[in-house]
Amino acid sequence: HALADIYFGMESYKLAEKLFLRSLLDFRMVSAGGTTVQKDANRITVDLSKTYDALGKTDEAIGYLIPLLNGNGSIDLATTLLNNLIKKNNIDKKNFKKKLDASFDTLDLLRNDGTYTFSFNGKMVFFISVFNKTKSSFAQEVKETDFYKSL
């Protein structure tokens, strides 16, 4: 993850993307308690979002923030970053909400270690959760946020 941070700082976003994804998917985070693993996963997820934004890949940038609305501990940060992306890219909130609602049904458990996938507007997103997620719980947790209610 540290190497990805260096490449991001050097504006080598394609290399940063590759290394952030490897940090999230290939190198397992281990902790006696789940909070450190979740915090590390959330940080990588935010870094991926920022990387995709820098690459002009708005759907991916948004997609990586959505799981953070899902009870994984970074709701306020995700809300701020999502609102910034919506404003920066002049995204219609009604249309955005339709795309978000459609994404809930795409949730899938990738591995039995808490690694999930879902698709936002056709773009595949990976995330880690120390909590078990179902399509309905994923949707419900996001729909209970102030961010979702503002759409």
Side-chain angles (χ1 to χ4, degrees):
H1 184 205
L3 188 55
D5 285 334
I6 291 169
Y7 282 116
F8 184 87
M10 293 171 43
E11 298 181 5
S12 295
Y13 300 120
K14 293 299 279 176
L15 284 171
E17 171 195 17
K18 181 178 180 179
L19 292 169
F20 283 134
L21 284 169
R22 289 197 68 202
S23 295
L24 190 65
L25 299 171
D26 294 342
F27 302 108
R28 295 306 311 146
M29 294 169 259
V30 179
S31 172
T35 58
T36 300
V37 169
Q38 193 64 65
K39 285 180 184 177
D40 289 346
N42 289 358
R43 184 167 171 267
I44 294 168
T45 300
V46 168
D47 290 340
L48 274 164
S49 175
K50 290 177 179 179
T51 300
Y52 286 121
D53 183 37
L55 288 168
K57 296 181 175 184
T58 304
D59 287 337
E60 290 91 336
I62 289 170
Y64 272 94
L65 294 173
I66 292 168
L68 300 180
L69 295 171
N70 201 257
N72 288 330
S74 296
I75 294 170
D76 291 340
L77 177 60
T79 298
T80 298
L81 294 173
L82 282 164
N83 282 327
N84 290 344
L85 284 168
I86 288 169
K87 183 177 180 180
K88 173 184 171 185
N89 293 286
N90 297 312
I91 296 171
D92 177 71
K93 286 189 172 189
K94 274 186 168 179
N95 191 35
F96 177 83
K97 186 176 183 181
K98 288 177 187 175
K99 292 176 183 178
L100 181 56
D101 287 342
S103 75
F104 297 137
D105 202 37
T106 66
L107 180 74
D108 194 24
L109 181 63
L110 181 64
R111 300 187 298 226
N112 287 327
D113 63 357
T115 304
Y116 292 86
T117 63
F118 83 101
S119 178
F120 177 76
N121 202 28
K123 307 300 183 192
M124 184 66 64
V125 172
F126 303 93
F127 72 96
I128 293 175
S129 178
V130 296
F131 305 107
N132 290 329
K133 302 291 180 189
T134 64
K135 291 176 183 179
S136 62
S137 71
F138 184 69
Q140 187 62 35
E141 289 175 7
V142 172
K143 288 178 178 182
E144 289 174 354
T145 66
D146 290 337
F147 171 77
Y148 185 86
K149 292 174 185 173
S150 74
L151 298 176

